[in-house]
Amino acid sequence: MRVRTTAAALVGALALVLPTAGPSLAGGHDGHDGRNLGELHYRFVDENGYERQAQLRPADNDTCYRLTGTSESDPAYQVRNETRSLAILFDNATCGGRDVETLSPGQRSRGNVSVASVLFVPTEGEEHHGRPDNQGAGGNWQHDEDEDIFRSIMRSMG
C-alpha cells in the first residue's frame, strides 16, 4: 500500500515540476488571435549549406524556445521580433548564461548574431508568469525551486 501512495505522490509532484509549454506549432495561427504572442522570424544556414528562413510562434512569456533547425554550432544569424514581447536571444539551446541581444517588439537584430534559443518576457506593463533571478534581461532564469522539490521527493522515497 505504501508503494502505491508513494508512486501517486511522485506522479503528482512530477506533473507540478515538469514544464508544460512545448514547442511552438508552426501553422494555423496568424499571431493576432490571442493564442500566441506573434512571430519571431530568423535566418540560418542548414546542414547542407542552404540559407533557410523559419519562424517561431511562441505561446507564452517566460518560456525558453529553441530555434528549430539551429544549434550552438549552426546558429541563426539574423532575427526579427514580430511579437508583442521582448525577445532575449541566447547563443545556446537552454537560454542560459549571458544574452546575445534583446529585441523589442518590431525590432531586428543588429548585424550578424549567433542565436540558438530565445526567451520571451513581457514588455513593461504586462504580467510575468515566471520569476527572474533579479539580474535583469541579461541574466539567467532560475528553476532551482522545481529541482529542489523534485530532489526532496526522491530523497523521501529513499
Side-chain angles (χ1 to χ4, degrees):
M1 189 67 175
R2 179 169 165 81
V3 173
R4 195 180 296 173
T5 304
T6 303
L10 177 61
V11 169
L14 286 175
L16 292 174
V17 298
L18 292 178
T20 57
S24 176
L25 300 176
H29 299 302
D30 63 4
H32 302 291
D33 58 7
R35 290 184 280 181
N36 63 44
L37 300 174
E39 295 179 345
L40 183 88
H41 300 268
Y42 58 98
R43 293 176 183 236
F44 63 99
V45 176
D46 70 13
E47 64 276 355
N48 296 319
Y50 295 107
E51 184 177 306
R52 300 285 183 197
Q53 295 182 39
Q55 59 191 349
L56 172 72
R57 293 181 181 98
D60 204 0
N61 284 314
D62 303 320
T63 302
C64 179
Y65 293 88
R66 285 194 57 215
L67 299 184
T68 304
T70 69
S71 66
E72 290 179 35
S73 59
D74 294 313
Y77 61 84
Q78 188 177 55
V79 181
R80 185 177 78 233
N81 181 14
E82 295 296 335
T83 71
R84 61 181 184 261
S85 298
L86 294 174
I88 304 171
L89 310 178
F90 292 89
D91 62 359
N92 59 67
T94 62
C95 297
R98 306 279 299 149
D99 61 288
V100 173
E101 189 172 350
T102 299
L103 302 178
S104 296
Q107 189 177 19
R108 290 179 185 262
S109 58
R110 296 181 301 265
N112 284 342
V113 293
S114 295
V115 181
S117 65
V118 59
L119 174 68
F120 292 96
V121 296
T123 57
E124 194 171 314
E126 289 191 36
E127 182 179 326
H128 274 281
H129 298 140
R131 61 181 179 90
D133 65 357
N134 297 322
Q135 291 185 18
N140 294 327
W141 283 61
Q142 301 282 333
H143 300 287
D144 294 335
E145 185 177 334
D146 294 340
E147 287 180 29
D148 292 342
I149 292 170
F150 181 73
R151 287 184 183 149
S152 67
I153 291 169
M154 294 307 288
R155 274 191 298 252
S156 71
M157 290 179 58

